[in-house]
Structure formats: C-alpha cells, structure tokens
Amino acid sequence: RRCYGLDIIDRTALLAGTVYTTLRRLEARGLVAGQWEDAEVAQAERRPRRRYYTLTKAGAEELAVARVRLAGVVSGADEEDEAVGEVRGA
C-alpha cells in the first residue's frame, strides 16, 4: 500500500521531523521505495507534490523480523532467536 508522509503522520501521531527523517533513512537502506507523484496531479488539486512510499521486499522481511522480536518482548518468550531465524529463512 502506498502512503505519503502526511498520511503516516496522521495515522501515527508522530512528529513530521521524525517521520520524514525515518522515511529518508529507510529509503537509503532500501527498505522503502519513494516516488514523487506527477506534478499535474498536485497542480490540479492545488497542493504540493506528494512523495509516496511503498515497502520493498527487503522492508517486508525486516518488518516480519521486527514483529517477531516485538512479540518476544511482549510475551517474554525464550524462542525469539529461533523465530527470527525462521522468518529470515535460516
């Protein structure tokens, strides 16, 4: 699913500086891909252009690992390392 920065800010209540800095870092690591919308679309709607972000395959894999780790923290499970290995295909 494509999202743009302000959409993420609205959904998470995070500060703009946090969201845009994080998006730039994630993009630099290849975990999200950003693409500017066509200028004509923004002009027609009388607003600035939006940069839309999508999760890459590598980003989806890292997200899966992060979810397993979070579940381990929440549940206190000792199997966290094994589960992370399974998610990564190790």
Side-chain angles (χ1 to χ4, degrees), residues 16-88:
T18 300
V19 170
Y20 290 111
T21 299
T22 302
L23 286 170
R24 281 193 298 275
R25 289 178 181 166
L26 292 171
E27 191 171 10
R29 291 181 57 199
L31 302 177
V32 298
Q35 183 175 10
W36 287 103
E37 72 178 337
D38 291 333
E40 296 80 25
V41 173
Q43 288 172 350
E45 295 183 16
R46 302 181 143 225
R47 58 169 173 73
R49 285 174 66 196
R50 294 175 178 160
R51 186 164 179 81
Y52 285 93
Y53 296 90
T54 55
L55 199 59
T56 63
K57 182 179 178 185
E61 291 169 359
E62 286 298 313
L63 178 58
V65 168
R67 285 181 170 155
V68 167
R69 286 188 174 145
L70 179 60
V73 169
V74 171
S75 70
D78 293 329
E79 300 85 22
E80 175 187 344
D81 289 338
E82 182 179 315
V84 168
E86 289 174 11
V87 168
R88 287 196 168 148

